[in-house]
Amino acid sequence: IGLQPDELNGMLLSQYVGSDDPTFAPFAIHVQALAGESVCTTVDWEGRTFWVRVEPLRDQLGDIIGCLGVGGDITDQHRMTDQIREREVETRYRLNELEVIYRTAPVGLAVLDMECRYERVNERFALMLGRDADQIIGRRLAEIAPQIAEIADPLHQRVIATGEPLFEYEFQAPL
């Protein structure tokens, strides 16, 4: 906030926040504490966002004699949270876009794990194997179509072993 601790000594809150308007949030939370209410909130003030907790300060008899507050500037955290939300929206949009492509692709698409078990297949792929997608998921190709597995499994293993994609490889196998 640009002040040294000793610069606040003796300053009225209204002088510090620049207002004594009881509806102005930085002032209002202190008024609430002086009325006996504990306040924990965020306040936007002068282009910054602050987390604030203000408690009534009581004397030995329990009478309110002031208030005690702590706070911290959380502007950067708020900005990061906003950026994360924006990225989540963008990610959901891209995921939906991929889902549409996956569902409507004119070719069979499949995702295999490192043990060559199918994690996901599109309907076109399932149709190529003459199965429903739920009959393929979690199984190896050798369990579903052994004649195709004889050709495809070594190719899958090669991709897994080298980490290199295999492009433009075509084969035919009887079902």
Side-chain angles (χ1 to χ4, degrees):
I1 55 177
L3 297 175
Q4 297 298 317
D6 60 336
E7 292 181 80
L8 294 173
N9 291 342
M11 185 182 288
L12 295 175
L13 179 64
S14 59
Q15 292 172 316
Y16 174 67
V17 300
S19 174
D20 59 1
D21 176 359
T23 64
F24 180 56
F27 193 82
I29 58 176
H30 290 81
V31 170
Q32 287 174 275
L34 291 171
E37 186 178 337
S38 296
V39 181
C40 186
T41 189
T42 58
V43 175
D44 292 318
W45 181 48
E46 295 193 357
R48 308 293 295 172
T49 302
F50 297 90
W51 168 85
V52 181
R53 181 175 187 112
V54 182
E55 297 284 339
L57 179 63
R58 299 177 187 274
D59 65 12
Q60 295 166 334
L61 300 174
D63 295 327
I64 297 173
I65 58 171
C67 59
L68 180 63
V70 295
D73 187 341
I74 59 171
T75 305
D76 292 339
Q77 291 88 334
H78 267 242
R79 286 182 186 144
M80 285 186 278
T81 300
D82 290 344
Q83 289 173 351
I84 289 169
R85 284 189 190 118
E86 288 170 10
R87 287 191 176 110
E88 285 174 347
V89 167
E90 177 69 17
T91 300
R92 276 193 292 279
Y93 175 80
R94 296 290 178 213
L95 180 60
N96 288 335
E97 188 175 54
L98 286 173
E99 288 290 331
V100 169
I101 291 168
Y102 202 80
R103 277 194 320 270
T104 61
V107 296
L109 299 172
V111 177
L112 294 101
D113 66 15
M114 296 299 282
E115 296 175 8
C116 291
R117 292 185 191 280
Y118 288 98
E119 290 186 348
R120 184 173 181 168
V121 299
N122 69 353
E123 288 303 315
R124 177 75 65 166
F125 185 85
L127 183 63
M128 290 169 36
L129 294 180
R131 305 280 180 118
D132 290 330
D134 61 348
Q135 295 174 313
I136 298 170
I137 304 301
R139 299 173 73 190
R140 290 189 172 98
L141 184 57
E143 299 171 53
I144 301 162
Q147 63 280 20
I148 298 174
E150 289 176 18
I151 301 166
D153 279 351
L155 300 174
H156 295 150
Q157 292 303 326
R158 181 172 130 196
V159 170
I160 290 169
T162 65
E164 296 293 321
L166 182 62
F167 294 107
E168 298 181 28
Y169 190 91
E170 243 180 80
F171 65 88
Q172 291 183 359
L175 289 176

